[in-house]
């Protein structure tokens, strides 16, 4: 296979001259350029993408690091990112971090070695140092870090949790439990805090009604079953994501209880699956596609050094009332 060296030899020039012709960088005499192009054609040489990236420092590829695409929330996010990046001529390399800070760091190191142009990350509490941000454009999405400089896009976690809890109260629920996501994840803590603040303001907060289920559907079934065994007064559940809400529905059914007549359930995310189950899930919908699309647009601007209008974006969430909650009490 032809190499840049064989082209240089045939054209009677240096490798550096061939590289300048390939990348249209620096001065090359017209006659020299003609000899190089003639040699490229004769040898049918195609420069490798890595070689190109070594010179023009762009591979038109970005890395997308997400916790776990088996959770339906993340594929919806990834789809938006790929759609937007494709418009601007970028390819997306997807990495699953499994919520591991170590894996996030490993992927970032690997992606840097492959000269990708930027990274979008939904981080599981990874502390992105400012030095890294000075080396490669980064946008944090959905789960972000505290940083003035690193752009972020998220949904209104705290606000959405308050909305969910207030809605359950408005339908007549009096003993509302919360299925919490991982303590290490900022948006899980924000959703828990929204739930707590509403109930404390009403004077009816009971810390025993918060159980951890790690955003996991099976754990949610287990802990909800145990919760209902020890407390039969529960008449409402706010789950920190839709998967845990779906897991809770199974536990409620295992107890022979009815939704929403005996217990109302509301989730958080607005994944498509929530519409497919019976009864259809009431939830706090995040603007998943818009979150991904905005993060992708911000990254393109960072890569192409277009100034940003703003660095941090918090998008509104909305209540989507379906069949797992009682109608508003009149
Ligand atoms: O369901 C997965 C959860 O983790 C979602 O609520 C999303 O916000 C992500 O952070």
């Amino acid at each position: 296979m032809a190499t840049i060296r064989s082209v240089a030899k045939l054209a009677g020039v240096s490798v550096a001259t061939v590289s300048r012709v390939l990348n249209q960088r620096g001065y090359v005499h017209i006659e020299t350029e003609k000899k190089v192009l003639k040699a490229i054609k004769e040898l049918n040489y195609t420069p490798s993408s890595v070689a190109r990236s070594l010179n023009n420092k762009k591979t038109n590829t970005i890395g997308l690091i997400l916790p776990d695409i088996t959770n339906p929330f993340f594929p919806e996010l990834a789809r938006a990112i790929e759609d937007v990046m494709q418009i601007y001529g970028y390819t997306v390399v997807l990495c699953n971090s499994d919520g591991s800070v170590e894996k996030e760091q490993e992927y970032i190191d690997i992606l840097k070695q492959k000269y990708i142009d930027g990274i979008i990350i939904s981080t599981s509490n990874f502390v992105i140092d400012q030095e890294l941000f000075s080396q490669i454009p980064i946008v944090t999405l959905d789960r972000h870090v505290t940083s003035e400089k690193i752009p972020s896009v998220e949904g209104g976690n705290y606000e959405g949790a308050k909305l969910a809890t207030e809605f359950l109260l408005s339908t007549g629920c009096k003993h509302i439990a919360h299925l919490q996501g991982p303590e290490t994840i900022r948006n899980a803590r924000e959703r828990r805090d929204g739930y707590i603040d509403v109930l404390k303001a009403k004077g009816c907060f009971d810390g025993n009604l918060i159980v951890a289920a790690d955003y996991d559907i099976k754990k949610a079934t287990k802990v909800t079953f145990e919760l209902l065994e020890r407390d039969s007064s529960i008449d409402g559940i706010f789950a920190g994501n839709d998967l845990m809400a779906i897991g809770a529905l199974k536990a409620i059914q295992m107890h022979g209880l009815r939704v929403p007549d005996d217990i109302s359930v509301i989730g958080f995310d607005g994944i498509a699956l929530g519409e497919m189950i019976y009864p259809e899930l009431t939830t706090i919908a995040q603007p998943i596609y818009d979150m991904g699309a905005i993060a992708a647009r911000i990254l393109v601007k960072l890569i192409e050094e277009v100034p940003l209008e703003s660095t941090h974006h918090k998008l509104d969430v909305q209540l989507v009332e379906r069949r797992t909650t009682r109608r508003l009490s009149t």
Side-chain angles (χ1 to χ4, degrees), residues 71 73-74 122 142-143 157 185 187 191 215 240-241 268-269 286:
N71 178 317
F73 172 86
F74 293 110
S122 176
D142 170 56
R143 303 177 186 181
N157 299 297
I185 294 176
N187 64 24
R191 294 171 197 172
Y215 283 154
N241 75 345
F268 198 108
D269 277 343
Q286 299 199 70

Side-chain angles (χ1 to χ4, degrees), residues 62-94:
I62 67 119
L64 173 58
I65 302 176
L66 296 176
D68 176 11
I69 58 166
T70 63
N71 178 317
F73 172 86
F74 293 110
E76 291 190 36
L77 208 55
R79 180 68 219 216
I81 292 162
E82 187 178 12
D83 287 349
V84 171
M85 294 312 293
Q86 196 176 29
I87 292 168
Y88 293 93
Y90 290 86
T91 304
V92 178
V93 172
L94 174 65

Side-chain angles (χ1 to χ4, degrees), residues 32-316:
T32 305
E33 184 170 6
K34 283 179 181 176
K35 285 196 287 185
V36 170
L37 294 175
K38 183 169 179 288
I40 286 172
K41 191 171 181 184
E42 277 182 28
L43 296 173
N44 192 26
Y45 170 69
T46 50
S48 75
S49 58
V50 172
R52 240 192 336 268
S53 68
L54 282 170
N55 292 282
N56 63 24
K57 294 287 181 282
K58 270 177 71 70
T59 55
N60 286 350
T61 304
I62 67 119
L64 173 58
I65 302 176
L66 296 176
D68 176 11
I69 58 166
T70 63
N71 178 317
F73 172 86
F74 293 110
E76 291 190 36
L77 208 55
R79 180 68 219 216
I81 292 162
E82 187 178 12
D83 287 349
V84 171
M85 294 312 293
Q86 196 176 29
I87 292 168
Y88 293 93
Y90 290 86
T91 304
V92 178
V93 172
L94 174 65
C95 308
N96 272 283
S97 66
D98 296 327
S100 157
V101 171
E102 291 72 26
K103 277 191 84 172
E104 288 177 2
Q105 183 59 64
E106 284 168 21
Y107 274 128
I108 287 174
D109 294 341
I110 291 167
L111 291 167
K112 279 172 63 181
Q113 288 162 18
K114 293 185 180 300
Y115 296 96
I116 49 109
D117 298 325
I119 293 173
I120 295 175
I121 181 170
S122 176
T123 175
S124 300
N125 216 27
F126 174 69
V127 180
I128 300 173
D129 61 69
Q130 304 303 326
E131 177 58 28
L132 173 67
F133 185 58
S134 65
Q135 296 164 358
I136 184 166
I138 291 180
V139 177
T140 61
L141 169 61
D142 170 56
R143 303 177 186 181
H144 66 93
V145 296
T146 306
S147 163
E148 282 311 308
K149 287 171 60 180
I150 300 176
S152 66
V153 179
E154 60 177 328
N157 299 297
Y158 176 80
E159 298 79 1
K162 288 185 69 174
L163 181 58
T165 311
E166 285 163 352
F167 178 71
L168 289 177
L169 288 169
S170 71
T171 62
C173 294
K174 300 201 180 320
H175 299 284
I176 302 171
H178 175 55
L179 302 181
Q180 184 187 325
E183 184 64 28
T184 54
I185 294 176
R186 177 200 296 262
N187 64 24
R189 299 195 299 271
E190 290 172 344
R191 294 171 197 172
R192 176 204 57 206
D193 294 347
Y195 157 86
I196 290 174
D197 288 353
V198 165
L199 294 185
K200 277 190 173 174
K202 296 278 185 185
C204 57
F205 171 65
D206 174 358
N208 295 314
L209 299 187
I210 295 177
V211 286
D214 288 345
Y215 283 154
D216 181 89
I217 190 167
K218 289 185 177 174
K219 281 185 188 173
T221 299
K222 179 177 181 296
V223 300
T224 303
F225 189 85
E226 292 163 356
L227 185 65
L228 296 180
E229 274 198 318
R230 66 177 165 85
D231 188 335
S232 59
S233 69
I234 292 168
D235 58 5
I237 295 176
F238 162 44
N241 75 345
D242 285 348
L243 285 187
M244 293 192 294
I246 294 167
L249 291 174
K250 182 179 172 79
I252 293 168
Q253 189 185 37
M254 288 161 68
H255 271 280
L257 298 171
R258 298 162 303 161
V259 172
D261 299 7
D262 298 322
I263 300 183
S264 291
V265 176
I266 186 167
F268 198 108
D269 277 343
I271 60 174
L273 181 62
E275 282 183 281
M276 305 308 291
I277 60 168
Y278 183 83
E280 296 90 348
L281 182 64
T282 296
T283 188
I284 299 296
Q286 299 199 70
I288 303 172
Y289 195 94
D290 288 350
M291 288 165 68
I294 290 169
R297 189 69 192 91
I298 291 171
L299 186 63
V300 171
K301 287 186 174 180
L302 287 180
I303 293 169
E304 300 179 358
E305 297 176 356
V306 173
L308 299 180
E309 296 83 17
S310 56
T311 305
H312 302 295
H313 299 257
K314 182 186 285 191
L315 279 65
D316 292 339

